[in-house]
């Protein structure tokens, strides 16, 4: 690893295998994000744990240009699983950090308004008509906070439009007191 790697083991028997696994995980992280300046890994056992077995804590302090990412992960009774989970969390944080650096932040889909036009209760799906007159398929699993069997045509809904294998679909369909703009 080109970045400065510091490994600290506390209250855990130190072994060459554990040290090698940490170095391997750190090298993979650096290949994924080559701008890591420093990586400090602390593996230990929390002193005030209430579990029967030993739960391992893995803390990663990763210095990157302009920031420091901290991952503090209490995990499994297996130190190697705890390492895997902590380094996976570090990879996700580095992905997010990298995206922000590139100003490539994921845009959230706008919440749209519409109404239920058809419901096929036995088959578990229906169609929503958007304000611009398009009909979008939705599955009963995409209904949030409502009872699919009680949906009726004409009921106002909010939803997010998403692309599926069969074209555009309505996701996160919610019923309730929604005011459709222009329906005064």
């Amino acid at each position: 690893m080109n970045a400065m790697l510091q490994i600290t083991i506390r209250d855990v028997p130190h072994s060459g295998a554990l040290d090698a696994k940490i170095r391997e995980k750190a090298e993979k992280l650096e290949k994924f994000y080559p701008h890591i300046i420093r990586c400090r890994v602390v593996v230990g056992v929390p002193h005030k744990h209430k579990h029967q077995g030993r739960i391992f804590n893995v803390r990663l302090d990763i210095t990157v240009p302009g920031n420091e990412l901290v991952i503090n992960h209490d995990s499994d009774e297996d130190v190697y699983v705890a390492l895997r989970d902590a380094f996976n969390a570090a990879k996700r944080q580095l992905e997010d950090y990298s995206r922000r650096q590139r100003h490539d932040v994921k845009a959230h889909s706008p919440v749209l308004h519409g109404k239920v036009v058809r419901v096929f209760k036995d088959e578990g799906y229906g169609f929503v008509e958007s304000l611009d007159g398009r009909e979008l398929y939705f599955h009963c699993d995409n209904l949030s906070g409502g009872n699919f069997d009680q949906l009726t045509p004409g009921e106002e809904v909010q939803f997010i439009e998403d692309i599926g294998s069969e074209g555009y679909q309505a996701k996160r369909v919610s019923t309730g007191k929604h005011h459709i703009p222009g329906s005064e």
Side-chain angles (χ1 to χ4, degrees):
M1 176 173 202
N2 292 335
M4 192 168 88
L5 176 64
Q6 180 185 356
I7 300 172
T8 304
I9 310 289
R10 294 186 183 139
D11 303 321
V12 177
H14 191 258
S15 70
L18 180 59
D19 193 62
K21 183 54 87 171
I22 292 170
R23 289 183 188 287
E24 173 192 323
K25 295 279 187 191
E27 284 176 16
K28 284 184 180 178
L29 209 56
E30 188 182 37
K31 285 181 183 171
F32 173 74
Y33 188 82
H35 307 293
I36 294 173
I37 298 167
R38 183 175 72 92
C39 181
R40 181 171 176 241
V41 181
V42 180
V43 179
V45 178
H47 291 287
K48 296 180 181 178
H49 61 85
K50 296 180 174 145
H51 295 72
Q52 294 288 59
R54 291 173 63 163
I55 300 296
F56 292 96
N57 174 271
V58 177
R59 180 183 167 105
L60 303 173
D61 295 312
I62 302 170
T63 306
V64 293
N67 205 355
E68 183 161 343
L69 306 176
V70 177
I71 295 86
N72 194 12
H73 199 73
D74 286 332
S75 189
D76 207 87
E77 294 179 15
D78 182 333
V79 70
Y80 294 99
V81 172
L83 279 172
R84 178 200 66 202
D85 292 348
F87 274 92
N88 285 344
K91 183 178 177 187
R92 287 189 298 274
Q93 279 197 30
L94 283 168
E95 284 174 336
D96 290 344
Y97 179 73
S98 178
R99 221 178 278 122
R100 285 192 308 272
Q101 290 296 100
R102 293 188 316 262
H103 303 291
D104 185 18
V105 180
K106 182 177 177 182
H108 294 282
S109 301
V111 176
L112 303 174
H113 296 270
K115 63 182 175 183
V116 176
V117 287
R118 290 189 306 283
V119 180
F120 299 92
K121 293 180 182 178
D122 293 339
E123 289 85 16
Y125 70 93
F127 290 88
V128 171
E129 182 179 30
S130 64
L131 292 179
D132 62 6
R134 294 178 300 124
E135 285 191 9
L136 302 161
Y137 164 89
F138 74 96
H139 189 269
C140 63
D141 291 341
N142 287 315
L143 182 65
S144 59
N147 185 339
F148 183 77
D149 292 329
Q150 295 177 352
L151 275 182
T152 57
E155 192 167 351
E156 293 181 1
V157 293
Q158 285 185 337
F159 62 94
I160 293 175
E161 188 176 316
D162 195 15
I163 187 87
S165 60
E166 300 292 320
Y168 287 101
Q169 301 177 5
K171 303 280 183 163
R172 288 194 264 163
V173 178
S174 65
T175 61
K177 297 183 178 183
H178 303 301
H179 173 73
I180 296 180
S183 66
E184 282 82 31

